[in-house]
Amino acid sequence: MAHHHESIIREPLMTGKDMTYARITNEILLPVENKPNKAWWIGFVVSALGALLWVVSISLTFWYGLGEWGLNKTVGWAWDITGFVWWVGIGHAGTLISAVLLIFGQNWRNSINRSAEAMTIFAVICAATYIVAHMGRPWLAYFTLPLPNQYGSLWVNWNSALMMDVFAISTYFSVSLLFWYTGLLPDIASIRDRAKGLRRRIYSILSFGWTGSLKTWQRFETVSLILAGISTPLVLSVHTIVSFDFATSLEPGWHTTIFPPYFVAGAIFSGFAMVQTLLLVTRKVLGLENYITMFHIESMNKIIMLTGSIVGVAYITEFFIAWYSQVEYEQYAFINRATGPYWWAYWSMMSCNVISPQLFWSSKLRRSIPFSWALSIVVNIGMWFERFVIIVTSLHRDYIPSSWAMFYPTWVDVGVFIGSIGVFFTLFLLFIRVLPSVAIAEVKLLLKTASEQAKMKQIKEGHLEPAEVQYYKESLTKYDSVDMADYEKV
């Protein structure tokens, strides 16, 4: 009967003894069905204050105009577009985890896809607020949409990469939202069946009449695969199109064909870092150690290390192309980045994005939860600096020295950015309060095959070689949610 199980040498994707389908449901729905704990309230209050700062800062921007920001005639893009590209990048990991790993049959996605998808949606919302705010006349934002001319004469430049942004990001958001909500339906139905009164009525509406019949599950799986197929090209296309904002210009430091793959790699890099930032805290606060295991943490750290290396190669390639082109403006743009007035931003970017991820070559550091969490924050700081370096240092000194200028952010610039982080975390904390942060239905699929419990059953049945059992036991020593005393007599 060993052929019914996953190979013993593969690490378990779910840990814990005496696991049952009912226990999985109870543990994951615990934070949804009970009052929030003190840690949740502390996080919510802090993030809500940040969201309030965003409301104040964005209101001043709408009321007085873009003069509230530190922009000038030379540096017309700065913290606004930096924040926009940063948030769009963060939103990439959710679709990658959900769609690409689903298509390739990687079951380790089952425990982390729900939170990653929610993160994607909230990050894209934060990115969109930057675009609307930067328009100067946000009440005319609908001009960017393909509306009939009865709404007035529309003078939109359809050749502009900024228009491509609108379509790419709105499509990405729509598909991601549909994918996320489709996956939620069976779990919302589980909450509905356990709830009473008004809560039951609300979740009943949200579950769209989910019955759990065989036909329902068949359609659910078919729709999930179709949406995954649609979403997968979006992972590559969205940040590629965002990079066109820069690559299609003639600005030194921007006009380069490496930007599309470079931006995509950077987006996955920062997205996985943000997933780590969120899930390592969520896992501890909500007691989800059995579902988000060390295998998930280490796998994401490996992806961070890989994409960080790709980003490092892109940085080196940029310098090589600038030298090889023999265009003095292009060469100066990169020399100015490293040695000019914003040298501190450039070297912060290099330290955070290129040097720090290489520490994950050490398995000890890769499996350290405090170190992984700290480095995930460092990576996202570095990715913000990367966007700042690309945008501001390329604009503040271009072709004509007489037009050179420095950019200095105002408190409103800072307030909009910090406030957007507050909005993001407020939305995420509300999400884990009203909806399950782990996909219950998908995690249950792991119980009979890829769980620690299933593998322990294999060992006890005696169908395995002693070397295989020893290899498996050694792999478990890195898990913080496994009681190794259970294996001493095996």
Side-chain angles (χ1 to χ4, degrees), residues 27-304:
E27 288 185 348
I28 295 176
L29 289 185
L30 190 65
V32 177
E33 296 177 333
N34 292 276
K35 292 182 179 180
N37 56 26
K38 185 177 179 181
W40 186 90
W41 276 114
I42 292 171
F44 182 75
V45 169
V46 172
S47 59
L49 289 174
L52 180 62
L53 176 62
W54 178 85
V55 171
V56 171
S57 302
I58 214 75
S59 298
L60 285 171
T61 301
F62 283 7
W63 188 260
Y64 292 107
L66 297 185
E68 289 296 299
W69 295 352
L71 306 178
N72 52 57
K73 289 183 179 180
T74 300
V75 186
W77 284 0
W79 275 47
D80 47 342
I81 306 300
T82 300
F84 161 69
V85 180
W86 189 71
W87 279 120
V88 172
I90 284 173
H92 265 59
T95 305
L96 182 77
I97 289 170
S98 298
V100 179
L101 297 184
L102 174 63
I103 290 173
F104 285 98
Q106 297 298 307
N107 287 333
W108 66 272
R109 65 177 281 282
N110 292 15
S111 299
I112 60 175
N113 65 327
R114 175 68 50 73
S115 295
E117 290 166 17
M119 182 198 77
T120 289
I121 293 162
F122 304 147
V124 173
I125 290 172
C126 291
T129 62
Y130 270 104
I131 290 297
V132 174
H134 188 261
M135 287 179 173
R137 294 174 180 154
W139 50 89
L140 299 180
Y142 67 89
F143 269 35
T144 60
L145 303 175
L147 299 174
N149 275 353
Q150 288 91 320
Y151 287 87
S153 298
L154 303 183
W155 302 97
V156 176
N157 180 8
W158 296 102
N159 295 320
S160 170
L162 295 174
M163 286 306 303
M164 300 180 204
D165 272 352
V166 173
F167 284 91
I169 292 169
S170 59
T171 303
Y172 184 64
F173 177 78
S174 302
V175 174
S176 298
L177 182 63
L178 188 59
F179 196 16
W180 175 67
Y181 198 81
T182 300
L184 272 167
L185 288 176
D187 293 353
I188 293 175
S190 296
I191 303 173
R192 174 200 66 194
D193 296 339
R194 296 158 60 99
K196 296 178 181 179
L198 180 61
R199 277 173 58 87
R200 185 181 180 89
R201 292 183 62 185
I202 293 172
Y203 284 109
S204 180
I205 294 169
L206 294 176
S207 65
F208 282 92
W210 178 274
T211 61
S213 66
L214 177 62
K215 193 67 178 177
T216 305
W217 278 108
Q218 287 175 338
R219 288 172 175 167
F220 172 80
E221 291 177 2
T222 301
V223 169
S224 296
L225 282 171
I226 290 171
L227 289 173
I230 296 171
S231 301
T232 301
L234 291 176
V235 175
L236 301 176
S237 69
V238 172
H239 225 51
T240 295
I241 289 171
V242 169
S243 76
F244 288 171
D245 296 344
F246 310 99
T248 55
S249 74
L250 296 177
E251 199 71 31
W254 288 2
H255 187 65
T256 173
T257 54
I258 198 177
F259 266 26
Y262 162 29
F263 269 49
V264 170
I268 296 169
F269 181 49
S270 60
F272 268 89
M274 184 59 84
V275 171
Q276 286 282 54
T277 303
L278 293 173
L279 288 188
L280 290 177
V281 176
T282 303
R283 165 185 196 268
K284 186 67 177 177
V285 172
L286 302 186
L288 299 173
E289 289 90 348
N290 285 335
Y291 308 100
I292 303 170
T293 69
M294 191 58 67
F295 180 84
H296 298 97
I297 295 167
E298 189 174 13
S299 297
M300 288 191 284
N301 283 340
K302 287 176 180 177
I303 293 174
I304 290 171

Side-chain angles (χ1 to χ4, degrees), residues 253-464:
W254 288 2
H255 187 65
T256 173
T257 54
I258 198 177
F259 266 26
Y262 162 29
F263 269 49
V264 170
I268 296 169
F269 181 49
S270 60
F272 268 89
M274 184 59 84
V275 171
Q276 286 282 54
T277 303
L278 293 173
L279 288 188
L280 290 177
V281 176
T282 303
R283 165 185 196 268
K284 186 67 177 177
V285 172
L286 302 186
L288 299 173
E289 289 90 348
N290 285 335
Y291 308 100
I292 303 170
T293 69
M294 191 58 67
F295 180 84
H296 298 97
I297 295 167
E298 189 174 13
S299 297
M300 288 191 284
N301 283 340
K302 287 176 180 177
I303 293 174
I304 290 171
M305 182 175 67
L306 172 64
T307 50
S309 301
I310 294 172
V311 167
V313 170
Y315 294 162
I316 296 168
T317 305
E318 279 191 306
F319 264 94
F320 171 77
I321 294 300
W323 167 79
Y324 191 70
S325 68
Q326 293 299 300
V327 177
E328 58 183 341
Y329 302 105
E330 195 75 17
Q331 292 175 345
Y332 179 76
F334 284 92
I335 293 171
N336 181 56
R337 284 183 185 180
T339 63
Y342 292 109
W343 64 268
W344 48 270
Y346 177 83
W347 291 109
S348 296
M349 172 192 82
M350 293 295 287
S351 301
C352 295
N353 295 349
V354 181
I355 298 171
S356 65
Q358 303 310 313
L359 297 174
F360 277 147
W361 284 102
S362 165
S363 60
K364 185 177 180 180
L365 294 177
R366 199 167 60 237
R367 297 166 184 172
S368 167
I369 291 175
F371 183 81
S372 297
W373 188 75
L375 195 64
S376 69
I377 295 174
V378 167
V379 165
N380 268 312
I381 291 172
M383 288 308 294
W384 186 90
F385 274 116
E386 180 204 281
R387 279 63 183 252
F388 179 83
V389 166
I390 289 172
I391 294 163
V392 175
T393 62
S394 296
L395 289 175
H396 91 113
R397 289 183 176 178
D398 52 8
Y399 293 102
I400 307 172
S402 61
S403 68
W404 288 2
M406 292 291 290
F407 166 77
Y408 300 102
T410 65
W411 75 266
V412 179
D413 277 305
V414 179
V416 171
F417 176 66
I418 294 176
S420 68
I421 297 175
V423 170
F424 175 81
F425 281 104
T426 300
L427 292 172
F428 188 82
L429 287 167
L430 289 173
F431 153 69
I432 63 174
R433 181 71 189 91
V434 299
L435 293 168
S437 56
V438 173
I440 302 171
E442 296 184 45
V443 165
K444 286 179 178 178
L445 297 174
L446 307 174
L447 181 60
K448 295 294 181 67
T449 56
S451 67
E452 180 197 1
Q453 182 172 291
K455 292 175 185 288
M456 175 65 93
K457 183 180 179 182
Q458 279 184 274
I459 294 172
K460 288 180 177 179
E461 287 172 351
H463 297 299
L464 303 169

